[in-house]
């Protein structure tokens, strides 16, 4: 009698069961995988790709008509022409005094002109060429900063908010390096004579030192405050080394190899604190943007490459007298910086209104009169930007400013 018969039969039954179970699993897994790769509708099954969407099929299946019919070839539709990109509307800007935008009635007139499509941008002084501030600024560089702040700062900040909420593009103008008041409060920010004392130009006015990190921080604090107040763009005026004066006697905080390179580096720091706001430049003339004065060159200060500086600015605002000068000025600037975006600044409302393209009317304290001309209520034209009430005569008497008229002893006394 064979005693191994029952164990052999048991092993056979277990093997068969295992094979059957494996076969069932294979079938189940296969069905699941197929189901996941197919989508079913009234026309049958469609393959689903690995992204979970229907795969492209080679051709559409003809509807079942009961007999095989040739597929009619449909003509391919002609491609629709691509729409031409929309050209941005031209900038139509009013540059006026801070009082214009602080006063509720004047601001209402600006808003009415904006709603009528006459203008879409305003440019207002945040810091004037004397160093006075028209908004509140938080800075560590000047202890008594409130001394520099205009009494209507709250009104201007409220006005900027109202203009911005109405969709008006607000540009804050900051006079940078030419600064009597700020350098008077903190002389360490000012350019210094190499033998001591604050350096003065031929007009006996002080300038901030562009190579001084504290100067850059001060300007950044002002720009940041302007953006926080609602400015969409910052335009830098007097953003240059002094064009006139005995620059060979200056003891810079860090001697510049290239003035343009210093200004370009400072511009990047300003751009950083301004975030998404644009950072642009303006000057009294093309030469202020593209070259130093004859006196500066004679004093031995290197000109440097200004193309990088001009190209780094979002826009360049330059005063001109008429449309012909605007075209000539644009060509001159773009010869140095082909990518530069140039905006002419006109002193005449009539020229500004007739000009096609980006343009600014510089009204200064005559902002109300300029707006009356825009509305057709007055025929008199404004006479340019006189917001600071300064004499525009930049002539000087070289004999009254001799080579010895600076502080030899460093005690702050001048000849």
């Amino acid at each position: 009698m064979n005693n191994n018969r029952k164990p052999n039969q048991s092993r056979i039954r277990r093997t068969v069961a295992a094979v059957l179970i494996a076969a069932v699993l294979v079938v189940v897994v296969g069905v699941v995988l197929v189901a996941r790769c197919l989508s079913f509708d009234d026309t049958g099954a469609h393959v689903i790709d690995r992204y979970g969407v229907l795969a492209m099929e080679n051709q559409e299946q003809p509807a079942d008509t009961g007999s095989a019919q040739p597929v009619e070839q449909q003509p391919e539709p002609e491609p629709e022409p691509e729409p031409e990109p929309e050209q941005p509307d031209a900038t139509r800007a009013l540059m006026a005094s801070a009082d214009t935008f602080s006063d509720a009635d004047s601001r209402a007139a600006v808003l009415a002109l904006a709603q009528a499509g006459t203008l879409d941008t305003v440019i207002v002084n945040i810091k004037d060429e004397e160093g006075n501030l028209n908004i509140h600024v938080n800075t560590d560089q000047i202890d008594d900063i409130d001394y520099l702040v205009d009494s209507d700062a709250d009104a201007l900040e409220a006005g900027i908010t109202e203009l911005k909420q109405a969709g008006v593009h607000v540009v804050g103008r900051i006079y940078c390096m030419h600064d009597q008041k700020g350098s008077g409060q903190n002389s360490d920010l000012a350019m210094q004579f190499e033998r001591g004392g604050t350096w003065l130009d031929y007009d006996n006015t002080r300038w901030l030192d562009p190579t001084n990190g504290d100067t850059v921080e001060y300007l950044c604090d002002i720009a940041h405050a302007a953006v926080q107040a609602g400015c969409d763009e910052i335009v830098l005026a007097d953003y240059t080394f002094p064009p006139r004066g005995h620059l060979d006697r200056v003891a810079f905080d860090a001697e510049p190899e290239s003035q343009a390179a210093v200004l370009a580096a400072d511009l990047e720091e300003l751009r950083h604190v301004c975030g998404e706001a644009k950072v642009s430049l303006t000057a009294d003339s093309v030469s202020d943007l593209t070259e130093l004065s004859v006196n500066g060159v004679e004093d031995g200060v290197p000109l440097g490459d200004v193309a990088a500086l001009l190209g780094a600015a979002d826009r360049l605002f330059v005063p001109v007298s008429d449309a012909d000068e605007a075209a000539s000025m644009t060509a001159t600037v773009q010869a140095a910086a082909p990518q530069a975006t140039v905006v002419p600044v006109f002193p005449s409302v009539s020229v500004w209104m007739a000009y096609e393209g980006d343009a600014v009317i510089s009204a200064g304290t005559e902002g109300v009169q300029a707006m009356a001309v825009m509305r057709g209520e007055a025929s008199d034209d404004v006479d340019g930007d006189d917001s600071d009430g300064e004499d525009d005569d930049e002539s000087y008497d070289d004999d009254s400013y001799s080579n010895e008229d600076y502080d030899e002893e460093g005690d702050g006394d001048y000849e």
Side-chain angles (χ1 to χ4, degrees), residues 131-193:
N132 298 303
L133 300 170
N134 291 319
I135 63 172
H136 297 287
V137 175
N138 183 21
T139 182
D140 293 331
Q141 296 305 321
I142 293 180
D143 293 333
D144 189 13
I145 191 64
D146 290 340
Y147 170 77
L148 303 179
V149 178
D150 187 85
S151 59
D152 287 336
D154 291 334
L156 180 60
E157 291 176 13
I160 291 174
T161 299
E162 183 179 358
L163 290 165
K164 184 178 176 67
Q165 289 175 345
V168 177
H169 184 81
V170 181
V171 181
R173 179 169 62 171
I174 298 174
Y175 281 88
C176 296
M177 304 307 172
H178 186 244
D179 187 322
Q180 279 284 87
K181 297 291 185 68
S183 59
Q185 293 294 99
N186 182 359
S187 61
D188 290 341
L189 302 178
M191 293 169 52
Q192 305 293 318
F193 275 113

Side-chain angles (χ1 to χ4, degrees), residues 268-336:
E268 286 306 306
E269 293 197 42
L270 286 159
R271 186 180 296 283
H272 175 72
V273 302
C274 288
E276 296 181 358
K278 293 181 178 179
V279 179
S280 301
L281 296 174
T282 186
D284 291 334
S285 67
V286 175
S287 62
D288 287 346
L289 288 172
T290 58
E291 61 186 358
L292 291 174
S293 69
V294 174
N295 292 294
V297 174
E298 289 178 348
D299 284 336
V301 178
L303 175 61
D305 181 11
V306 299
L309 174 62
L310 299 182
D314 285 297
R315 298 196 283 186
L316 302 174
F317 296 84
V318 185
V320 295
S321 59
D322 53 35
D324 290 339
E325 187 178 352
S328 174
M329 176 271 299
T330 300
T332 300
V333 172
Q334 291 184 336

Side-chain angles (χ1 to χ4, degrees), residues 192-249:
Q192 305 293 318
F193 275 113
E194 58 187 358
R195 296 186 181 182
T198 302
W199 183 89
L200 302 174
D201 64 12
Y202 286 133
D203 297 320
N204 287 329
T205 58
R206 295 183 289 265
W207 287 68
L208 301 181
D209 184 352
T211 72
N212 188 328
D214 290 341
T215 290
V216 180
E217 181 177 326
Y218 179 52
L219 296 176
C220 285
D221 291 339
I222 298 171
H224 178 72
V227 173
Q228 292 296 106
C231 291
D232 304 289
E233 182 174 358
I234 300 300
V235 59
L236 307 175
D238 278 344
Y239 192 74
T240 178
F241 284 70
R244 297 181 296 133
H246 291 292
L247 299 173
D248 56 331
R249 298 174 181 173

Side-chain angles (χ1 to χ4, degrees), residues 373-392:
V373 176
M374 295 177 200
R375 294 191 299 268
E377 299 172 359
S379 58
D380 293 337
D381 232 336
V382 300
D383 195 20
D385 185 2
D386 57 352
S387 59
D388 298 307
E390 297 290 339
D391 187 355
D392 291 333

